[in-house]
Amino acid sequence: MDGFRFDLSAPHIVVPVRITGAQRVRWLNLILDTGSTSTVIDELVALRLGYNLESAPTVSVTTVSGTSQASIIAVRQIFAFGIALDEFPVLVMPLPTQLRADGLLGLDFLKRRNLFCNFDKGILLTLPFSRSFLHRLTLSAQIFAAL
C-alpha cells in the first residue's frame, strides 16, 4: 500500500512523479486528474528532459478549452505511488502557467491501481488490484487503518 498526504487547502491534488527522460531524470509535480484520459506534461518540461519535439508525432486532443495539438513522447520511465512503468506514452503541450504544476497525471497511469481518497484528512492511498477474497479482506483492513 502506498499513499501520501495532500494539502486540503490547495485547489488540486498534486502528486510527486519521477520521470526519466531522454537525457535527464526529474521529479515533477503533476495534478491528479481523473478527467484526463492521458498523462500530460508541459512543453518546457519535455525539453528539459531532453526530448526533441520537432520530430515527435502529434495528435489532436480535446480539452475543456477546445481542440488543440499535442506531441506524443515515450518517457523512459514514470514513477509514482510505488509504480514504475517503462516506455510510458505522454502527451506534451503548452499548459497555462496558472496551473502551477508541470502537468497532469491521467487515467492511463491511475487505472493501474485502486485509489482511495479521504478528503477529510487529506490522505490518498493506492493499492494493487486483488482477485483473492482473503487478500481483499487484508487490503480493506489496511485501508480502514490508514484512513
Side-chain angles (χ1 to χ4, degrees):
M1 176 172 61
D2 290 289
F4 76 101
R5 292 193 173 274
F6 59 90
D7 183 357
L8 289 167
S9 64
H12 309 289
I13 297 174
V14 178
V15 179
V17 177
R18 186 185 70 220
I19 292 188
T20 303
Q23 298 173 354
R24 292 178 184 82
V25 177
R26 301 256 190 216
W27 279 96
L28 306 177
N29 291 319
L30 301 186
I31 294 172
L32 187 143
D33 189 351
T34 60
S36 178
T37 307
S38 301
T39 296
V40 180
I41 61 172
D42 186 71
E43 283 180 336
L44 293 175
V45 172
L47 294 172
R48 287 188 201 117
L49 288 166
Y51 288 97
N52 176 3
L53 299 179
E54 291 178 14
S55 61
T58 60
V59 53
S60 184
V61 178
T62 303
T63 69
V64 176
S65 306
T67 303
S68 58
Q69 293 294 309
S71 298
I72 304 172
I73 60 171
V75 297
R76 290 190 178 161
Q77 187 179 76
I78 184 169
F79 175 83
F81 302 124
I83 307 167
L85 300 172
D86 296 330
E87 299 304 320
F88 189 78
V90 172
L91 297 180
V92 179
M93 57 193 304
L95 297 173
T97 54
Q98 309 89 290
L99 199 58
R100 296 184 185 195
D102 300 309
L104 309 171
L105 189 61
L107 287 177
D108 54 351
F109 186 88
L110 298 172
K111 69 182 179 181
R112 297 169 191 272
R113 302 271 284 199
N114 286 312
L115 295 175
F116 298 90
C117 192
N118 182 326
F119 284 101
D120 185 46
K121 295 181 179 178
I123 299 172
L124 182 69
L125 299 175
T126 67
L127 295 149
F129 297 120
S130 176
R131 294 179 190 206
S132 155
F133 175 74
L134 186 56
H135 190 236
R136 282 194 305 257
L137 191 61
T138 303
L139 291 176
S140 296
Q142 292 175 351
I143 293 166
F144 288 118
L147 295 178

